[in-house]
Amino acid sequence: MKVRFWGTRGSLPVSLTAPELRERLVHALVAAAGRGVQTPEQARAFVDGLDFAQGGTFGGHSACVQLDGGDADEYLLCDCGSGARAFAQRVMRERAGRPATYHLLMSHLHWDHIMGFPFFTPAYVAGNRVVVHGCHAELEHAFRRQQDAPSFPVPLAALRADIRFEVLTPGESCDIGGFRVTPKLQQHGGDSYGYRIERDGRCVVYSTDSEHKLDDFAVTRSFADFFRDADLVVFDAMYSLAEAVSMKEDWGHSSNVVGVELCQMAQARCLCLFHHEPVADDAALQRLLEETRRFEAITRREHAVEVIAAYDGLEREL
């Protein structure tokens, strides 16, 4: 199974500004002085040695994560934020007009998680099949309302693909595009649902927009069981622990520290920090990642949890 991240931000898309990009170039040029960087190959090698926050970016698209099980004609996406547009552009080029089935697995219906659908090109192409899965009874209504005037000029009825909506039952496993999918209710305004997604002995848990407080042992244990032995846990780490327990308590999001604790309890293999705070720049996200890795190391017992941070364009082979 391969996991591709097309959008990793929370709440709304963001982008690098011109002044921010300029400062990065200034920093890189100063750092390269006297190092004999004369060719594109030498420049690439130099950039590869920079900190990620200087030589790369975590990106700015809102949530969209692809799980690739190797099927040639079926795709599975978790959420349909603005990152879905980048996925659509890639897949339309690769398929060159050949039809396919696209499964959209929705955590919830807040705008940052559905805003990519009006720009999801496969939905406009006859012969394609788009199936939107989720646990909210309002699933179809939310997508139709977003397409309607005055919000958007193309109503859902005008899209040429075969578009269907399937409401799932929390706690009941089902087959979606060759994956075994189990939804779980999470704490978030208007409710959200995490998904345990399994295939060929591999497991990904997609758990975004969920506030884990760890103050109820039964609830904590149920999520540790949900995460149990996962190869990858994509986790809402929008806030630091201080933010999550103070001014942003009950805002519906979790912290990096809670992510580590749950993954340690579950003996998950890798924790992926996700749904990044839009106010945080790349340097702040890099610091959060480093702090999270230090916390995992000092609290580790026998089981080590790898900690990574999602960025637009990240691919992870399981």
Side-chain angles (χ1 to χ4, degrees):
M1 191 192 306
K2 181 178 288 186
V3 183
R4 296 185 177 94
F5 292 85
W6 298 94
T8 59
R9 287 280 176 171
S11 300
L12 77 166
V14 296
S15 64
L16 279 172
T17 65
E20 289 170 338
L21 179 58
R22 179 184 175 87
E23 284 304 305
R24 289 193 184 199
L25 291 172
V26 168
H27 178 275
L29 289 171
V30 170
R35 299 198 179 188
V37 178
Q38 302 292 333
T39 67
E41 291 74 19
Q42 291 171 335
R44 291 188 185 94
F46 171 76
V47 170
D48 288 342
L50 294 172
D51 289 340
F52 185 78
Q54 289 294 329
T57 178
F58 288 92
H61 281 306
S62 63
C64 183
V65 179
Q66 178 190 1
L67 276 67
D68 184 353
D71 288 337
D73 297 319
E74 282 197 280
Y75 298 87
L76 176 64
L77 297 178
C78 294
D79 281 328
C80 198
S82 64
R85 177 177 176 270
F87 163 82
Q89 290 176 315
R90 168 78 68 83
V91 78
M92 292 298 290
R93 289 195 303 269
E94 291 177 348
R95 299 201 64 82
R98 290 179 289 113
T101 297
Y102 301 87
H103 297 279
L104 309 182
L105 189 58
M106 304 304 301
S107 65
H108 64 309
L109 303 174
H110 286 168
W111 183 51
D112 54 321
H113 291 255
I114 67 172
M115 65 191 308
F117 190 76
F119 306 95
F120 189 67
T121 318
Y124 291 78
V125 180
N128 285 332
R129 182 169 176 258
V130 179
V131 187
V132 184
H133 310 266
C135 296
H136 290 80
E138 310 88 351
L139 187 65
E140 181 172 353
H141 172 68
F143 277 77
R144 288 190 179 279
R145 182 180 60 182
Q146 181 178 224
Q147 297 284 147
D148 285 344
S151 298
F152 200 73
V154 185
L156 194 71
L159 304 187
R160 300 181 65 196
D162 176 12
I163 301 174
R164 304 180 185 184
F165 296 87
E166 293 189 358
V167 178
L168 308 176
T169 301
E172 292 188 7
S173 299
C174 59
D175 181 273
I176 297 177
F179 295 86
R180 184 174 183 265
V181 177
T182 307
K184 182 174 177 59
L185 177 65
Q186 303 180 135
Q187 178 65 37
H188 191 69
D191 292 337
S192 77
Y193 295 87
Y195 295 97
R196 184 178 176 93
I197 306 167
E198 298 167 285
R199 181 170 180 150
D200 298 330
R202 301 297 183 186
C203 174
V204 173
V205 173
Y206 181 74
S207 179
T208 190
D209 293 72
S210 179
E211 185 166 6
H212 298 280
K213 296 185 178 182
L214 307 188
D215 55 359
D216 185 316
F217 177 73
V219 173
T220 299
R221 184 172 60 184
S222 75
F223 275 98
D225 289 341
F226 191 63
F227 291 7
R228 182 71 58 200
D229 297 326
D231 295 285
L232 179 68
V233 176
V234 181
F235 188 84
D236 178 346
M238 193 166 183
Y239 304 139
S240 67
L241 181 61
E243 292 172 324
V245 300
S246 58
M247 59 182 176
K248 294 182 179 179
E249 185 177 11
D250 297 324
W251 284 27
H253 299 282
S254 288
S255 73
N256 57 328
V257 168
V258 171
V260 169
E261 292 177 334
L262 278 172
C263 285
Q264 287 174 333
M265 292 173 62
Q267 294 198 318
R269 292 172 180 80
C270 182
L271 166 66
C272 181
L273 308 180
F274 183 73
H275 205 268
H276 303 309
E277 165 66 69
V279 173
D281 61 15
D282 289 309
L285 294 178
Q286 183 69 29
R287 287 194 300 271
L288 182 70
L289 173 59
E290 293 167 357
E291 291 166 3
T292 309
R293 286 172 170 167
R294 285 195 295 270
F295 177 77
E296 190 281 329
I298 63 175
T299 59
R300 182 188 306 159
R301 294 183 181 178
E302 295 180 358
H303 176 77
V305 177
E306 181 186 3
V307 180
I308 63 175
Y311 58 86
D312 297 3
L314 171 64
E315 294 189 356
R316 180 84 176 187
E317 189 87 42
L318 303 181

